[in-house]
Amino acid sequence: MKTVISAENFNLDYTLDCGQVFRWQQCDGDWIGVVGGHMVRARQEGETLIIDSDLSRDRIIHYFRLDDDLQDIYARINKDAVMARLIKRFRGLRLIRQDPWECLVSYMASSCKSIPNIKDSISRLCRLYGDDLDGYYSFPTVQSLSQTTETQLRKAKLGFRAVYILEAARRVDAGDLDLEKPFTQDYEDARGLLMEMKGIGPKIADCVLLFAYDKMGAFPADTHILSIMREHYNTYLQGTRRTGIGTFARNYFGNWAGYAQQYLYYSRIAGNTGMTLC
DNA sequence: TTCCAGGACCCTG
DNA sequence: CAGGGTCATGGA
């Protein structure tokens, strides 16, 4: 089924290559991915987004955050020459509304790995535990991961992260952790809930809050963000540690600081995302 | 060989 | 609370 969506202030390449998602591949000029268990083929022609998928039009708009008023967001976060330049360079980069479970597991798998390696682990995970969708694989369900063993999980090259992911799957499966609850909580409470899980610290919690739970002020501070913030905003930081950068960023950029974060992040890693062509 | 990669945990002072 | 070792794994 083909869906055509008029989308201004949208750049599909930047959106899928900026390091927020790990499963999309470029193929003959199209992007191919799996969203909510459905294959999706996407391409952009000017201000038109062309989708070939079973997904409804509303779900596509929801996934790509085409309901965000990007021009208004730019006006809010455009506080200085650094951000002005990045908005100009990456205009149309939108955050994506990821599935909470996929986002949670993906970022638990991300700690201390390069983006190509994260993609490789997640690809293996899907191949091992997901459903075969004509050569592509769905993301593993909570149940499929909760029933495996640490030894088996490690075959996805997850290393020390495997035990954390296994425990998370079992807690969610047992009803000990409600993945819907963070939607109903404010940023701080939701963050506290996520960080109760082993393997989820401040940075990964912020990633999941920003990319899956609509907490747009979340400002994940990894090594790259720490570095670039010291480079451009050191006079404001005044010794602020990595754990305090998020608070500074929300004060400085406002409630949509998460968008600013992704532009800063992409400026550091563009070209190093191991974009895979099929 | 050493260092780093979208960190978190645990122990120590 | 701050600092360092440790945890797998692959690539430069």
Side-chain angles (χ1 to χ4, degrees):
Chain A
M1 181 178 83
K2 184 175 284 188
T3 305
V4 178
I5 299 173
S6 177
E8 54 183 288
N9 283 321
F10 180 62
N11 184 300
L12 185 63
D13 291 340
Y14 296 154
T15 297
L16 294 179
D17 184 54
C18 70
Q20 59 179 329
V21 287
F22 304 106
R23 297 247 291 144
W24 286 86
Q25 294 183 309
Q26 263 198 320
C27 193
D28 298 331
D30 292 0
W31 285 93
I32 296 183
V34 179
V35 177
H38 296 272
M39 287 280 309
V40 179
R41 181 181 284 266
R43 77 170 185 278
Q44 180 169 19
E45 293 178 3
E47 293 193 341
T48 303
L49 175 61
I50 302 162
I51 301 286
D52 188 3
S53 166
D54 291 337
L55 288 182
S56 71
R57 180 188 189 83
D58 284 349
R59 285 198 65 184
I60 295 162
I61 290 172
H62 189 259
Y63 180 75
F64 286 109
R65 296 196 75 97
L66 294 173
D67 51 333
D68 279 344
D69 183 345
L70 206 52
Q71 202 62 275
D72 180 62
I73 293 169
Y74 287 156
R76 292 171 184 270
I77 66 175
N78 190 4
K79 299 293 188 184
D80 52 57
V82 172
M83 194 53 56
R85 185 169 50 79
L86 291 178
I87 289 170
K88 188 172 181 182
R89 179 175 170 193
F90 297 132
R91 177 169 288 276
L93 189 168
R94 288 177 186 259
L95 296 181
I96 281 179
R97 278 197 188 87
Q98 302 185 36
D99 169 72
W101 171 243
E102 176 169 345
C103 189
L104 187 77
V105 174
S106 296
Y107 279 92
M108 288 180 91
S110 77
S111 73
C112 212
K113 285 169 82 105
S114 67
I115 289 182
N117 281 337
I118 297 167
K119 290 178 174 177
D120 181 63
S121 275
I122 293 174
S123 173
R124 291 172 185 273
L125 193 66
C126 294
R127 197 168 287 269
L128 287 167
Y129 297 101
D131 295 327
D132 189 348
L133 303 173
D134 207 20
Y136 293 84
Y137 292 85
S138 65
F139 194 85
T141 62
V142 171
Q143 290 73 24
S144 64
L145 291 188
S146 69
Q147 290 162 8
T148 189
T149 64
E150 183 187 344
T151 306
Q152 283 298 112
L153 255 190
R154 279 174 180 260
K155 291 180 178 173
K157 307 293 185 185
L158 290 165
F160 58 85
R161 309 157 193 83
V163 62
Y164 297 142
I165 291 173
L166 182 59
E167 184 174 327
R170 291 184 173 165
R171 286 188 59 177
V172 175
D173 190 40
D176 185 28
L177 176 72
D178 180 6
L179 287 182
E180 293 301 311
K181 188 158 187 185
F183 282 118
T184 69
Q185 296 175 301
D186 64 21
Y187 167 73
E188 290 294 344
D189 288 346
R191 195 170 193 247
L193 180 68
L194 293 177
M195 287 178 62
E196 285 177 10
M197 286 199 291
K198 266 188 265 183
I200 298 187
K203 186 270 175 184
I204 292 178
D206 280 336
C207 285
V208 179
L209 292 168
L210 177 63
F211 300 137
Y213 286 113
D214 275 330
K215 307 301 189 240
M216 309 316 290
F219 195 90
D222 73 325
T223 54
H224 294 109
I225 288 292
L226 180 63
S227 155
I228 198 169
M229 293 297 282
R230 281 182 175 159
E231 183 179 328
H232 294 300
Y233 301 97
N234 202 38
T235 55
Y236 301 113
L237 292 177
Q238 297 189 346
T240 300
R241 311 192 57 74
R242 183 163 150 182
T243 53
I245 286 185
T247 302
F248 160 75
R250 277 183 292 285
N251 288 332
Y252 184 80
F253 291 113
N255 294 335
W256 293 81
Y259 259 96
Q261 179 275 153
Q262 203 59 32
Y263 282 65
L264 289 164
Y265 179 75
Y266 194 31
S267 72
R268 268 301 157 96
I269 60 104
N272 294 317
T273 59
M275 201 192 315
T276 48
L277 299 167
C278 60

